[in-house]
Amino acid sequence: MDLVTHLKRKIRKYSDDPSSTHHILIAISGGVDSVVLTDVMLKTVLGTSNSIGLAHVNYGIRSDANEAEAFCSQIANQSNCQFHNVNFEFTSKGESFEKWARDVRYQYLSEIAHEYNYQWILTAHHKDDQLETLFMRYSQKADWVTMQGIREQLGKIKRPFLDVDKSQLTKYAREHDLKWIDDPTNMDLVFLRNEIRHIALPKTLRNEPGLPDYLFRLSANAKRRFNRLVNQLDVGNLIIEYKKSDHVEISKSEFLKMSDDKMKIVIKLLMTNYLGKASISLSGSHWASFWQFIRNASTGTVFELSKDVFSIMDRKSLYLAKNKKEVGDRKKIESTCTTNWYNNQFRVELLTGKHTPKSTDKKFAVITINEFDKGVFIRRWKSGDNVKINSGTHKVKISDLFINHKIPVFKKWYYPVVVNKNDEILWVPGLKHASLIEDVKANTKNNIKIECLWT
């Protein structure tokens, strides 16, 4: 097989307009598969206006991790490709390294593609990887949707070697005198995929040599069935509200009319097409728990679909949203720059010598510079939160403010609450000022104005 011709054919398949320019990101580990993909892709785009970037993830668990990173950087430099790299440290408890590594890798690739405007993300998965995946899922008695195996195309993710044998990649590397670094952890049987690759699958194939053809037929049938259902589904009809790459709200009643198979497909499509997630891989028990959550959860209940996506139940709606881990539960408002909080921004202005304005719509608050210097923070709303008004003689529950202003359940989850260093509530933007805000004298000098900008 001529891999350059093969890859050119794949590019035509992936492209709506083959004559258009593509900015392509390749995931490179330094192993033979990704080195071959990079080399073939460079030959494929030679003489065209297409450009290539390389992205490497260093997990720090292999003895030669830094050597592999330097090697990938060298390839990028010699090929005149932009190089992106990141270091992660595995600290997750109760989660396999393989799942964690896959999640952080695709999250990083997605972020880089968005930041640098790459249209495609190429990975070097091949036919042997597909066989191992199908064998693993077949052994686990996976449902037919999961038996599709690795998808060749999923959003920006493209896997052009998925129908190419590993032996063909190795042959190409040797014929073209390519250098690569073998990952020593690929022989570590602690990892499930390695145990399947080196022990379980070879043992099974000795007794069942026809198994690969059977598994590939199962996968092909599952993909055809999946595509038929996708064409029948009107996902747009379910959507009530959508904010790109942030959250999507769907009709709970319409969703519950579907079978579990269709609901699973809808969730996958929403994750890929609306939240920009490359993939979601859940166990059968996790999916079963999610179906129970949808059918039985009370309003306001949160379900974690993955590390990056959670779901919130409302009375008539189901929300899927990206978990913005970079924000956290509490953040200090800075005077020197705009402070971001989910879909809001907070901007600070010194009012020295100016008349102190009043905000009737509660979209900004004015506090003394002394209070601000002690520390002002944004945090999420918590059950039992209340705002002290009338010089502290009365309290208003924030939950009542939400009800009175018809704030949806999902928006309550990240709605900003501004507090002082003692966690006393100063301001609920757009809804209420506390006494510490209301009692600021209009003629006091050196006040601070904090404005909430809604995006």
Side-chain angles (χ1 to χ4, degrees):
M1 176 187 288
D2 183 344
L3 292 181
V4 174
T5 301
H6 174 84
L7 201 50
K8 286 181 177 179
R9 187 168 63 249
K10 291 293 184 178
I11 289 176
R12 288 194 297 270
K13 174 184 174 181
Y14 301 151
S15 180
D16 294 330
D17 180 6
S19 64
S20 62
T21 298
H22 298 100
H23 197 32
I24 303 165
L25 181 66
I26 299 176
I28 183 169
S29 66
V32 62
D33 306 333
S34 58
V35 167
V36 168
L37 175 60
T38 301
D39 188 78
V40 175
M41 195 66 206
L42 286 167
K43 289 181 172 70
T44 302
V45 303
L46 190 65
T48 73
S49 58
N50 296 322
S51 61
I52 293 175
L54 304 182
H56 176 80
V57 178
N58 185 341
Y59 307 106
I61 68 161
R62 48 191 281 192
S63 57
D64 61 349
N66 293 334
E67 179 187 347
E69 180 180 318
F71 175 67
C72 293
S73 176
Q74 182 182 27
I75 290 175
N77 186 53
Q78 292 173 346
S79 307
N80 198 29
C81 295
Q82 186 165 7
F83 184 62
H84 312 274
N85 66 294
V86 67
N87 290 58
F88 287 113
E89 181 180 356
F90 180 56
T91 58
S92 301
K93 295 180 180 179
E95 183 180 24
S96 74
F97 169 79
E98 291 167 290
K99 182 179 185 306
W100 169 83
R102 182 174 59 249
D103 288 345
V104 298
R105 178 171 64 252
Y106 280 115
Q107 179 65 26
Y108 174 67
L109 292 172
S110 178
E111 289 171 356
I112 291 297
H114 176 74
E115 183 177 352
Y116 291 90
N117 297 314
Y118 289 104
Q119 285 85 30
W120 297 341
I121 302 168
L122 268 56
T123 73
H125 290 87
H126 47 72
K127 196 172 183 178
D128 295 46
D129 293 322
Q130 180 73 294
L131 178 59
E132 292 164 5
T133 297
L134 292 172
F135 176 77
M136 178 167 53
R137 293 179 178 177
Y138 182 71
S139 302
Q140 296 168 341
K141 296 180 170 56
D143 61 35
W144 73 266
V145 177
T146 308
M147 280 307 298
Q148 292 179 91
I150 303 171
R151 303 285 297 278
E152 183 180 340
Q153 297 190 70
L154 191 62
K156 287 187 174 184
I157 301 291
K158 314 293 179 186
R159 301 180 175 104
F161 285 168
L162 204 56
D163 54 355
V164 177
D165 293 329
K166 166 84 171 187
S167 60
Q168 292 175 290
L169 302 183
T170 305
K171 179 183 177 184
Y172 177 94
R174 288 172 176 158
E175 288 177 347
H176 291 80
D177 198 26
L178 298 182
K179 293 182 175 60
W180 67 88
I181 298 179
D182 287 321
D183 183 350
T185 64
N186 284 339
M187 300 303 296
D188 190 342
L189 299 183
V190 169
F191 301 121
L192 176 60
R193 183 168 287 273
N194 291 341
E195 194 275 334
I196 288 171
R197 177 179 299 158
H198 300 299
I199 297 179
L201 183 56
K203 180 180 178 181
T204 303
L205 292 181
R206 284 194 291 269
N207 298 319
E208 301 179 57
L211 183 62
D213 288 340
Y214 174 70
L215 292 177
F216 286 128
R217 284 199 303 273
L218 277 183
S219 174
N221 290 336
K223 288 173 182 174
R224 283 193 291 269
R225 184 178 175 186
F226 181 87
N227 290 332
R228 281 199 303 270
L229 278 176
V230 168
N231 291 332
Q232 293 169 8
L233 289 170
D234 184 4
V235 176
N237 191 46
L238 289 170
I239 296 173
I240 298 171
E241 180 186 85
Y242 162 56
K243 185 174 178 63
K244 186 176 182 181
S245 296
D246 182 83
H247 73 269
V248 58
E249 176 189 2
I250 63 174
S251 167
K252 178 181 173 181
S253 60
E254 291 299 316
F255 190 58
L256 286 174
K257 292 176 183 178
M258 299 179 175
S259 64
D260 286 0
D261 286 348
K262 286 187 177 181
M263 287 198 293
K264 190 172 185 177
I265 292 172
V266 166
I267 294 298
K268 286 177 173 286
L269 290 174
L270 292 174
M271 296 271 282
T272 304
N273 299 338
Y274 291 85
L275 297 183
K277 299 300 298 177
S279 63
I280 178 172
S281 178
L282 305 181
S283 66
S285 60
H286 200 149
W287 279 114
S289 297
F290 184 53
W291 305 146
Q292 288 297 314
F293 163 79
I294 292 170
R295 294 183 174 100
N296 302 318
S298 56
T299 297
T301 308
V302 177
F303 185 94
E304 190 175 87
L305 265 170
S306 69
K307 286 176 61 177
D308 304 313
V309 177
F310 63 93
S311 178
I312 296 182
M313 184 63 66
D314 204 346
R315 190 165 58 89
K316 294 183 178 181
S317 303
L318 176 70
Y319 291 89
L320 295 178
K322 291 175 76 170
N323 186 12
K324 301 184 180 179
K325 298 181 288 298
E326 72 277 7
V327 176
D329 294 321
R330 179 177 164 116
K331 195 168 190 179
K332 186 176 182 180
I333 296 179
E334 303 290 347
S335 61
T336 56
C337 60
T338 298
T339 303
N340 296 314
W341 176 262
Y342 294 93
N343 297 324
N344 309 105
Q345 294 180 331
F346 287 80
R347 188 169 60 194
V348 173
E349 178 186 353
L350 179 63
L351 298 175
T352 304
K354 295 181 180 179
H355 174 72
T356 300
K358 289 291 183 181
S359 175
T360 56
D361 58 8
K362 310 299 187 290
K363 290 186 178 179
F364 67 82
V366 177
I367 65 173
T368 64
I369 195 168
N370 182 53
E371 186 74 27
F372 184 83
D373 287 344
K374 292 177 184 177
V376 177
F377 305 84
I378 318 163
R379 67 163 171 81
R380 295 175 181 170
W381 163 71
K382 298 183 293 189
S383 179
D385 272 347
N386 57 70
V387 184
K388 294 179 181 179
I389 60 173
N390 297 336
S391 298
T393 59
H394 291 83
K395 297 179 182 179
V396 176
K397 290 182 178 180
I398 293 183
S399 58
D400 290 338
L401 291 174
F402 286 159
I403 291 170
N404 294 338
H405 289 80
K406 295 182 171 57
I407 304 297
V409 160
F410 170 69
K411 292 183 179 178
K412 293 177 188 177
W413 187 82
Y414 62 78
Y415 203 98
V417 175
V418 179
V419 299
N420 62 17
K421 69 169 187 176
N422 299 321
D423 205 44
E424 296 174 302
I425 295 173
L426 302 174
W427 172 38
V428 185
L431 302 182
K432 202 71 179 175
H433 288 144
S435 296
L436 286 171
I437 301 296
E438 295 290 355
D439 294 346
V440 171
K441 302 300 182 184
N443 58 356
T444 303
K445 291 185 178 180
N446 296 334
N447 286 333
I448 293 287
K449 176 185 174 183
I450 307 173
E451 183 178 10
C452 179
L453 306 174
W454 305 84
T455 59

